[in-house]
């Protein structure tokens, strides 16, 4: 079955780190509260402007760096439908 997502595309460049996705200053928060801070390392307003179903588009090495588990959780909780990188 084909799934179609519609939403705004948020385009980021190559080499986006987990610290860009969720900066270290937000790591003191519980994982279920990090959604509003997704992508704050590159765009502090992303969490307030992203809408359910939006798509993150990025270049090579998206999510590089540490194995920070809260970085993908932040994207999920921001209600991003998909990441294409």
């Amino acid at each position: 079955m084909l799934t179609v997502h519609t939403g705004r595309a948020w385009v980021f460049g190559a080499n986006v780190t987990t610290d860009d996705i969720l900066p270290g200053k937000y790591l003191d928060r519980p994982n279920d509260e990090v959604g509003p801070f997704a992508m704050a390392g590159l765009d502090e307003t992303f969490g307030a402007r992203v809408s359910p179903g939006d798509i993150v588009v990025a270049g090579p090495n998206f999510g590089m760096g540490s194995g920070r588990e809260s970085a993908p959780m932040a994207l999920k909780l921001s209600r991003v439908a998909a990441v294409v990188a």
Side-chain angles (χ1 to χ4, degrees):
M1 176 177 272
L2 176 67
T3 301
V4 177
H5 294 284
T6 58
R8 185 172 25 189
W10 295 84
V11 181
F12 297 96
N15 304 317
V16 174
T17 69
T18 54
D19 196 51
D20 294 326
I21 298 169
L22 185 67
K25 64 184 178 181
Y26 300 115
L27 294 179
D28 62 341
R29 303 195 193 305
N31 269 354
D32 61 347
E33 296 178 7
V34 295
F37 310 107
M39 303 309 294
L42 298 175
D43 181 352
E44 286 280 340
T45 67
F46 177 84
R49 298 185 308 136
V50 67
S51 296
D54 285 358
I55 300 164
V56 170
V57 179
N61 298 318
F62 182 82
M64 66 184 246
S66 70
R68 185 174 294 177
E69 296 172 3
S70 49
M73 181 61 67
L75 285 170
K76 180 179 180 180
L77 292 174
S78 74
R79 302 172 317 244
V80 166
V83 174
V84 179

